[in-house]
Amino acid sequence: MSLPHAILTALLEKPSSGLELTRRFDKSIGYFWSATHQQIYRELGKLEQAGQIRALPSAQPTRGQKKEYEVLPAGREELTAWVARSEDPKPVRDPLLLRLRAAGVVGSAGLEAELGRHLALHQRQLAQYEAIETRDFPPERQSTEQDRLRHLVLRGGIELETFWTKWLTEALTGLRPGALDERGAGCRSSVPGVTGAAGTE
């Protein structure tokens, strides 16, 4: 996903100013595609120059006023084409996984505390997603296609955070001497790319 497409999506949902978009990114889209205030404003300028969005006319003088943007037909066409475009999954590039691999070489001193910190962060995020699901998608609610698609995105976040909390809990347990051997797994690691008794390839 690219930032321009995230902005087009947000503006089709609701015409907004750059500041409003920043706030909305912090609360919703930002959960899976983050962007800074400066990045959003820069992309708004590019999209406007490309004829995909425009600033809404204002009844008041524009000096000091926030410009609100809406998507033009060219922007909707671009977003529609992008939704249907073929794109391969992106490989996982998480530094924490690489740090575990490095710990197999230099030792795991200090790693337990960092894993615990990550676990707490993912547990907090999972609780937040589940609270949003309870609030916005109760079972009795009559859902539209838009609701179902938004719920699917949220479910993806819930499943991802569930994975991380489970995996980090196992990783913390696995740091104990002999923990993996006790499970009858030899020294296999759940970290991608780490195989064999010594974790080498």
Side-chain angles (χ1 to χ4, degrees):
M1 180 176 181
S2 66
L3 180 55
H5 296 109
I7 291 174
L8 288 171
T9 299
L11 290 178
L12 278 170
E13 290 174 343
K14 179 187 175 184
S16 304
S17 67
L19 181 59
E20 289 167 338
L21 277 175
T22 301
R23 290 172 178 160
R24 290 173 63 196
F25 266 68
D26 288 342
K27 293 179 181 177
S28 56
I29 292 178
Y31 286 132
F32 53 90
W33 192 265
S34 61
T36 66
H37 184 83
Q38 292 82 3
Q39 288 172 323
I40 289 172
Y41 270 89
R42 187 163 56 244
E43 290 301 333
L44 283 171
K46 291 178 182 177
L47 289 168
E48 188 174 23
Q49 192 173 23
Q52 295 184 6
I53 66 172
R54 69 164 183 169
L56 287 168
S58 174
Q60 300 178 0
T62 56
R63 185 178 177 81
Q65 293 291 114
K66 297 189 198 108
K67 287 200 293 186
E68 284 202 340
Y69 295 90
E70 69 174 358
V71 178
L72 294 171
R76 179 180 282 273
E77 288 172 11
E78 167 56 28
L79 190 62
T80 301
W82 179 76
V83 166
R85 196 172 300 158
S86 175
E87 188 172 354
D88 292 336
K90 301 296 183 188
V92 174
R93 293 183 62 187
D94 193 304
L96 185 63
L97 300 179
L98 183 57
R99 288 164 71 183
L100 261 71
R101 179 70 180 249
V105 180
V106 299
S108 61
L111 187 59
E112 184 173 355
E114 181 66 355
L115 289 174
R117 188 177 72 87
H118 277 251
L119 176 59
L121 290 170
H122 284 290
Q123 287 172 330
R124 191 179 311 136
Q125 188 66 74
L126 176 59
Q128 190 171 6
Y129 284 162
E130 289 176 335
I132 293 171
E133 183 178 43
T134 300
R135 182 194 69 203
D136 294 346
F137 302 102
E140 67 275 10
R141 174 175 168 174
Q142 288 285 83
S143 62
T144 64
E145 181 183 44
Q146 187 179 50
D147 287 334
R148 290 192 294 274
L149 290 172
R150 287 177 175 173
H151 194 190
L152 279 172
V153 173
L154 180 61
R155 287 302 311 170
I158 288 172
E159 293 297 332
L160 187 59
E161 295 302 327
T162 299
F163 159 77
W164 279 114
T165 55
K166 181 176 182 292
W167 181 83
L168 284 162
T169 300
E170 290 180 357
L172 282 163
T173 302
L175 281 179
R176 297 200 323 266
L180 291 178
D181 289 330
E182 291 168 9
R183 292 169 56 188
C187 287
R188 297 189 193 95
S189 170
S190 54
V191 181
V194 181
T195 58
T200 58
E201 295 178 327

